[in-house]
Amino acid sequence: MPTAPLANSLLASLPRAEFDQLRPQMTVTSLAQGKVLAEVGDEIDQVYFPFGGMISLRIIMKNGKAIETSTIGKDGAFGAAATFGLYKSQVRAIIQISMTAALIPAATMRRHGETSKALQLMCMRFNENLLAQARVTAACNALHLIEERFCRWLLQTSSVTQSTTIQLTQEFLSEMLGVRRTSVTEVAQKLQEAGLINCSRGVINILDRDALKARSCECFETLREQNAI
């Protein structure tokens, strides 16, 4: 297997001996945008460690509406809580930006987690980061204007993917933010006219990151300060 799994910061943080024990159980695969990794209530049988791209975690309401609570990139994993026992997803996990990832069976993670303090700490620390991200996002969604949230989301995605080019339709983005597509279109046009971004056929290019930060709410910096992204 190539050294690609070390592109994931969590896997790279493990002592080399423990990483080498997990490595034979890893399967590297490509995951396309829009692929659902888990629905609410699904038992997690694989833990996903991205090498890039982004996973979106969404809360689903009884009427079917969804809103994003947190994102996972190459600094994290989806399903890490399965290390501590049988675990059912509380969110819908969907590939937001296409990626390559290492998959490790949940049973393997549990077996190694029984004796590996490093693996236990890795998973607990990342789960704390996810909780911090969810708390900040909840406050942001409740208190800040759509334009501020839109800018925060673009900056967050750019930070996680380490790219200023984001392949995402406005329809997809409206679901992330929990607002109408027309609202996203209006904000995107306003930012494009100001020269901050360029939108074209499902691709958003960030042209002026500093100006985007100036229009964003405080939450992007809060997420960074708390090491949540």
Side-chain angles (χ1 to χ4, degrees):
M1 184 185 294
T3 57
L6 291 174
N8 179 277
S9 298
L10 289 185
L11 292 177
S13 72
L14 288 172
R16 190 54 187 256
E18 297 196 26
F19 173 82
D20 288 342
Q21 289 180 352
L22 288 171
R23 189 167 180 169
Q25 308 301 318
M26 296 179 193
T27 302
V28 176
T29 187
S30 297
L31 299 164
Q33 185 182 59
K35 178 176 176 57
V36 176
L37 302 183
E39 291 285 4
V40 176
D42 286 353
E43 184 177 318
I44 301 302
D45 59 1
Q46 297 280 347
V47 182
Y48 296 79
F49 293 87
F51 304 158
M54 183 155 38
I55 299 170
S56 170
L57 304 186
R58 306 180 193 178
I59 293 294
I60 311 299
M61 308 306 291
K62 289 184 178 180
N63 63 4
K65 290 185 177 180
I67 189 167
E68 184 177 84
T69 61
S70 46
T71 58
I72 300 171
K74 69 180 185 64
D75 293 332
F78 171 66
T83 302
F84 304 105
L86 295 178
Y87 177 72
K88 290 186 177 181
S89 179
Q90 304 300 309
V91 296
R92 173 183 293 161
I94 186 169
I95 301 299
Q96 184 170 277
I97 307 293
S98 58
M99 65 174 62
T100 301
L103 279 62
I104 303 178
T108 298
M109 294 287 288
R110 284 193 289 272
R111 187 169 63 252
H112 284 271
E114 289 175 356
T115 57
S116 172
K117 291 293 185 182
L119 187 59
Q120 293 172 16
L121 286 173
M122 180 194 81
C123 294
M124 287 190 292
R125 286 170 180 164
F126 178 66
N127 283 336
E128 282 297 314
N129 289 345
L130 274 185
L131 285 173
Q133 191 180 151
R135 286 192 291 265
V136 173
T137 302
C140 185
N141 289 337
L143 301 174
H144 295 144
L145 300 175
I146 294 175
E147 180 178 314
E148 295 174 320
R149 292 165 54 202
F150 185 101
C151 294
R152 184 268 301 168
W153 189 91
L154 291 180
L155 291 167
Q156 179 177 338
T157 302
S158 177
S159 178
V160 171
T161 62
Q162 297 185 337
S163 174
T164 57
T165 299
I166 302 167
Q167 295 185 340
L168 199 68
T169 64
Q170 291 183 18
E171 182 176 1
F172 211 178
L173 183 51
S174 69
E175 185 173 345
M176 304 294 158
L177 297 174
V179 299
R180 295 177 301 169
R181 181 178 175 179
T182 53
S183 298
V184 170
T185 300
E186 290 172 2
V187 171
Q189 288 177 343
K190 183 179 178 180
L191 295 176
Q192 182 164 257
E193 290 170 0
L196 276 63
I197 64 173
N198 179 63
C199 303
S200 177
R201 295 187 178 184
V203 177
I204 301 175
N205 286 298
I206 297 175
L207 304 178
D208 191 333
R209 185 180 177 86
D210 289 338
L212 204 62
K213 286 177 66 175
R215 294 208 186 190
S216 172
C217 55
E218 66 201 63
C219 296
F220 174 66
E221 288 301 330
T222 300
L223 288 168
R224 295 183 67 181
E225 289 168 3
Q226 296 186 12
N227 296 315
I229 58 172

